[in-house]
Amino acid sequence: MGLNRRTAMKAGLLTTAVSALGLNSARSQGTSATPALTVQGEAATRTNIPVVRDRRASGGSYLALNTKKTPPKGGWYAAYTIQAPEAGVYALTAVATAPVETPHTEATASYLQLALNDGRFAEIARSQPYWYESKPAWGNLSVLDLDDLELRRGENTLTFRVTEPTVLETGTAYALALDRFTLRRREGLELREVHTGGDGTLSTYRFGEPASLALGLNGRPDDPYRVRYTVVDYFGERVAEGYATIAAGETTVKVPLPQLPPGNYRVAASAADAGDAEAVVGHFACLPALAAASGAANRFGVNVWATSLVPPSRLDAFAAAMRDMGAGWTRDGQAWPAAEPTPGAYDTEHHDGVTRTMRRHGLAPLEVMSPAPEWAMTTASLPLPTDLRHAYRYARRLASRHPAAVQLSNEPDVDVTSSTGDAHAAFVKAAALGIADTPDRPLVVLPGIAQAGHFQDLLLANDVVRYADVWAFHGYPDPAEQGEPAFPGAAEEQRELAERLGADDVPRSMTECGAFFAVRPGVDLAPAQQAVQARYLVRSMVEGLAAGNTRQFWFAGPPLHDDGVYFGLLSREFQPLPAYSACAALTSLLGEAHFVGPVNGLPTGVVGFEFDSGRGESVRVLWASQPVRVPVPGATVYDVMGARMTTDGDAVPVSRDPVYTVTKGTRLVTRPTPHHRASLSPAEHIVLSQRYAARNAAPNKDNGDAEPPLGYRLSRRTRMSLDVYNFTSTSRTVTVNAPRPAGGWSARAEGPTRVEVPPQGRTTLDFTITATSGVKRRTDHRLKFTATLDGDDVPPSVSLVQLK
């Protein structure tokens, strides 16, 4: 949280949220002897939310909101009268639906807002890890820790409200299930998060701006409350410390910070009389004064999945924080089933609002197409639509909402379906044509491939590259590498693959890169893990760009805990971790980041890469497995956090923490940049798609671990179909060529192969595929259908088949 960015700059304040809610609290808050107050959800004094009977609910009924209707003035609400036996701070828990998916349910609810007595409504804007770690209750409900509330003695009014929709399986809706809630009296006061309206700067400020540290309590003390605090930098050096006093009847105190260099800072705070108890911990970032390159020159992106991971009240501050970190791009996506719950009926406004917010903050959104809705699929087509015209129309709709680019699916090679590379290629072509036929169209990005292999090889054999502006893939280190992960070879593999296909002129983007860090529930990454994450972010970005990637997208920006692994650049309190600051330093110093080449002549064990910043500077990034001094004559040197370093005799210590050396001079080397490729011909608007019965489906990909044969499983004689799509505005006559006999396989058309296909239409041809006695079982063979339109070649459909 914190102050509005403009207000913060004007007032010269940095609000650093220091929280005892799920971070490293100084001690567990006990509960007093006061009995807990439990209230049934259906017992509201006033509400406009329906009550539903269910024997699983504690009172036999519960509040159940699930509607697409626009909320009435004041929102969907439930107000309760609570009699508190004594004044004080109470911990509020509820049995309700969480606003994000949890391990025990995929059901989600809208983010809750609370108001106590005459106070204003405030969103419970906790991060995904808090909700993800909630314990199951019953059905789709969880036991949720919501907030601390300061009740007065006697009567209090507590109001729950919903004003924002959430994404459900079949569209967006206003949703909440509330069985009961409980208030337990806290024993004493403790430091906690400072609430400043939810539209703050996420604890960041630029070098040179005045800054203050804000500390707060979870209630108002009767007497002055003295706080002890220390501020430590990334390298463990104490840079500030002292005491502050929160006045009686107040909840916060602001402490001016000294002028600090760019970096990431860890705050430890506790009650002055807490002795040696572990302190509450928070983070803030002082960003480099020089901002990152903007617009098309920016090579850095971040995965956000904002609808799932960022509470609505934090969205503006989050977008600003990502841009301040130096990201020029965000990668996000909405669920197609929710966006098009029935054919042609679109429900995208909720996600469109996220896109507009990113645009408003100068970020270029990359939209990812998700699997198709259930109504569009069959058992044999899963997870793709059986009619590719649905893909064409939906992609065109996505493109019309003004993202900067659209990626045509995410990691189709490692899902748990039987979809094949040829089927996915036909889908990619149809979707790409939908985008291409949109005015002022965004860039078309190929699917994010998890790993090079059979699926991608088949996808590329279907000539999909000609439909795309950007070649995309992902790269992660081995999850077992928890110490200093090594950058994977994915970037080099994809570069070599593109060169073999003659597609090295197509810009390549690593649309996911990151590392797996194991965490326990309820805590952030340990300080040592935070340092490893910061180092790996720099190395992965630098090595990816050095391998020829045009852009690198980190996974992920928001706090994200998944199955014991933490990915985010922000803490559970939406505060910047060291990797966030490392990214800000990298993007600031590298500028346009034109890769020049490896640095030669370095001491043994030192790795170096040289870039041209686009500002008339040569920037070298150096690191080493063991500390060593490296000569840097005439260079200005910066540490991994972006702070200027002093040199000793024109030499600088280099270690696992990367350093930057900057000298005047330019050695600009240009690389392919994403641009709209030439218009597609009428022949390229014809899409061929092989279709087989469910009984002939290929084996399940087993998350990409399945070994060949991977083709459709055919009998000696198998009937199949070839769909011929015409994505032009006029009728087209297409001549289809059946595959020539090869390897003992042959194909025979069951009718004419010269067909008229109506505009935006589909014509289906039937074939019989035959295997002779010489065909070996369980051996893949390529089956290639070709066609012509007015003498021009139509891109082929190439599948794998096997004799089962």
Side-chain angles (χ1 to χ4, degrees):
M1 297 188 180
L3 299 174
N4 178 273
R5 181 67 179 166
R6 292 181 180 176
T7 305
M9 293 178 67
K10 184 176 180 181
L13 296 176
L14 160 70
T15 298
T16 297
V18 179
S19 171
L21 300 177
L23 284 172
N24 302 316
S25 59
R27 58 189 181 277
S28 299
Q29 284 190 328
T31 54
S32 70
T34 305
L37 308 173
T38 297
V39 180
Q40 301 301 323
E42 66 273 20
T45 308
R46 294 176 290 108
T47 186
N48 56 10
I49 300 176
V51 174
V52 173
R53 293 185 177 276
D54 194 309
R55 65 181 63 185
R56 295 173 297 177
S58 61
S61 301
Y62 68 104
L63 285 189
L65 175 68
N66 188 332
T67 181
K68 295 179 180 294
K69 294 181 179 178
T70 302
K73 185 177 181 180
W76 302 106
Y77 74 92
Y80 300 87
T81 300
I82 299 165
Q83 296 291 333
E86 58 181 298
V89 175
Y90 288 73
L92 173 64
T93 61
V95 173
T97 38
V100 304
E101 293 183 6
T102 66
H104 53 274
T105 178
E106 295 180 358
T108 60
S110 299
Y111 277 88
L112 266 175
Q113 298 175 354
L114 294 181
L116 179 62
N117 297 322
D118 298 325
R120 295 181 178 181
F121 279 97
E123 184 179 84
I124 308 300
R126 309 191 95 177
S127 64
Q128 181 264 359
Y130 280 112
W131 308 115
Y132 181 84
E133 296 160 3
S134 300
K135 295 179 180 179
W138 58 268
N140 292 324
L141 280 66
S142 306
V143 181
L144 306 178
D145 292 324
L146 295 181
D147 206 350
D148 280 1
L149 301 176
E150 190 172 17
L151 303 183
R152 59 197 179 200
R153 186 173 183 273
E155 185 173 289
N156 294 264
T157 300
L158 178 61
T159 305
F160 296 76
R161 185 174 77 170
V162 166
T163 62
E164 292 281 347
T166 189
V167 178
L168 303 178
E169 289 184 2
T170 57
T172 56
Y174 300 88
L176 172 68
L178 175 62
D179 179 8
R180 65 183 184 275
F181 64 89
T182 300
L183 291 155
R184 291 181 175 83
R185 178 78 162 86
R186 292 288 198 189
E187 188 69 43
L189 299 177
E190 284 195 359
L191 288 168
R192 56 156 301 163
E193 186 177 4
V194 176
H195 292 284
T196 56
D199 187 26
T201 62
L202 301 191
S203 296
T204 68
Y205 68 102
R206 290 246 174 239
F207 175 69
E209 296 175 1
S212 294
L213 180 68
L215 306 171
L217 291 170
N218 60 349
R220 292 169 295 178
D222 294 329
D223 300 307
Y225 190 102
R226 201 158 184 244
V227 179
R228 178 182 61 186
Y229 69 90
T230 60
V231 181
V232 176
D233 69 12
Y234 170 79
F235 301 100
E237 296 293 327
R238 185 171 296 185
V239 297
E241 61 183 329
Y243 292 86
T245 300
I246 299 173
E250 300 293 332
T251 58
T252 61
V253 62
K254 293 173 181 175
V255 182
L257 286 168
Q259 182 72 265
L260 297 172
N264 192 269
Y265 297 91
R266 184 174 183 266
V267 183
S270 61
D273 59 357
D276 295 329
E278 186 180 2
V280 175
V281 172
H283 296 268
F284 68 90
C286 177
L287 303 173
L290 181 63
S294 60
N298 188 290
R299 297 180 182 274
F300 304 98
V302 62
N303 286 264
V304 297
W305 308 113
T307 301
S308 300
L309 301 177
V310 182
S313 64
R314 292 191 187 269
L315 187 59
D316 265 298
F318 172 79
M322 294 299 100
R323 187 67 191 91
D324 288 346
M325 183 187 73
W329 289 71
T330 56
R331 182 170 180 260
D332 207 334
Q334 63 181 324
W336 185 355
E340 193 180 5
T342 56
Y346 296 105
D347 181 10
T348 64
E349 180 54 34
H350 183 56
H351 187 77
D352 292 345
V354 173
T355 300
R356 290 193 295 270
T357 298
M358 298 302 165
R359 285 287 200 186
R360 189 169 63 250
H361 287 278
L363 295 160
L366 168 59
E367 179 77 19
V368 183
M369 286 188 70
S370 81
E374 186 175 347
W375 58 258
M377 295 187 295
T378 63
T379 302
S381 73
L382 183 79
L384 305 173
T386 188
D387 187 334
L388 296 181
R389 288 171 292 185
H390 294 309
Y392 174 93
R393 288 190 285 264
Y394 179 61
R396 190 168 185 175
R397 169 72 183 197
L398 282 183
S400 72
R401 314 322 286 172
H402 309 298
V406 177
Q407 188 166 28
L408 306 179
S409 79
N410 181 64
E411 299 190 350
D413 55 322
V414 294
D415 65 23
V416 292
T417 73
S418 298
S419 65
T420 57
D422 65 289
H424 211 84
F427 164 81
V428 165
K429 294 172 186 177
L433 288 166
I435 297 167
D437 292 345
T438 305
D440 301 320
R441 73 170 180 88
L443 296 169
V444 175
V445 184
L446 287 177
I449 293 296
Q451 58 195 42
H454 304 287
F455 186 96
Q456 187 185 20
D457 289 344
L458 190 57
L459 180 74
L460 296 172
N462 279 266
D463 208 0
V464 294
V465 176
R466 69 169 71 192
Y467 290 86
D469 304 306
V470 181
W471 177 304
F473 62 98
H474 299 164
Y476 290 90
D478 186 337
E481 295 181 4
Q482 292 287 301
E484 296 289 336
F487 185 63
E492 288 292 345
E493 290 173 351
Q494 296 294 322
R495 179 184 61 78
E496 293 170 0
L497 181 57
E499 288 177 352
R500 287 200 304 271
L501 290 177
D504 51 326
D505 61 328
V506 181
R508 296 184 302 280
S509 289
M510 185 178 274
T511 51
E512 284 186 25
C513 69
F516 304 85
F517 293 102
V519 293
R520 293 180 292 106
V523 297
D524 281 322
L525 296 175
Q529 290 176 302
Q530 294 173 15
V532 173
Q533 185 192 42
R535 292 192 287 265
Y536 183 77
L537 181 141
V538 175
R539 296 201 314 270
S540 64
M541 293 288 186
V542 167
E543 293 192 54
L545 294 174
N549 295 340
T550 299
R551 289 198 173 92
Q552 292 280 122
F553 288 74
W554 179 263
F555 188 91
L560 175 57
H561 182 194
D562 183 23
D563 196 23
V565 177
Y566 197 87
F567 293 99
L569 297 176
L570 303 177
S571 75
R572 296 162 59 89
E573 300 300 325
F574 279 93
Q575 298 174 343
L577 294 173
Y580 174 97
S581 297
C583 188
L586 172 82
T587 58
S588 170
L589 290 164
L590 288 193
E592 295 181 7
H594 301 284
F595 178 61
V596 175
V599 179
N600 298 317
L602 294 171
T604 301
V606 180
V607 178
F609 298 91
E610 182 180 359
F611 293 84
D612 188 296
S613 70
R615 300 186 292 251
E617 300 167 329
S618 171
V619 183
R620 295 182 172 189
V621 190
L622 310 173
W623 64 83
S625 56
Q626 298 293 331
V628 62
R629 298 188 66 79
V630 177
V632 288
T636 305
V637 185
Y638 299 86
D639 66 24
V640 66
M641 294 287 112
R644 189 165 177 173
M645 301 172 65
T646 57
T647 58
D648 181 10
D650 282 339
V652 65
V654 175
S655 66
R656 291 179 300 177
D657 287 314
V659 299
Y660 304 85
T661 69
V662 181
T663 56
K664 292 295 182 182
T666 179
R667 294 176 57 194
L668 184 63
V669 175
T670 59
R671 298 289 182 188
T673 56
H675 62 280
H676 294 108
R677 294 172 70 85
S679 298
L680 295 167
S681 68
E684 290 169 321
H685 277 71
I686 304 300
V687 176
L688 307 180
S689 178
Q690 299 180 43
R691 186 150 48 90
Y692 295 82
R695 63 179 175 274
N696 301 123
N700 188 290
K701 292 190 290 290
D702 191 24
N703 273 312
D705 293 329
E707 293 295 327
L710 300 172
Y712 297 107
R713 291 173 289 195
L714 308 187
S715 303
R716 290 285 179 185
R717 289 173 57 85
T718 305
R719 293 288 298 270
M720 56 82 65
S721 300
L722 182 75
D723 291 332
V724 184
Y725 292 89
N726 170 20
F727 290 110
T728 73
S729 58
T730 60
S731 182
R732 301 287 180 176
T733 300
V734 180
T735 301
V736 174
N737 304 309
R740 295 180 179 179
W745 290 92
S746 64
R748 179 173 59 85
E750 300 297 327
T753 56
R754 181 177 173 84
V755 294
E756 189 81 10
V757 188
Q760 298 294 314
R762 178 182 69 176
T763 298
T764 301
L765 306 181
D766 293 324
F767 287 84
T768 298
I769 310 299
T770 303
T772 66
S773 59
V775 173
K776 294 181 179 180
R777 294 184 183 276
R778 295 184 53 77
T779 301
D780 284 328
H781 176 82
R782 285 197 173 189
L783 195 63
K784 182 177 181 179
F785 285 87
T786 61
T788 57
L789 172 66
D790 299 329
D792 292 333
D793 289 337
V794 170
S797 172
V798 184
S799 69
L800 291 178
V801 295
Q802 59 168 300
L803 181 62
K804 61 183 177 181

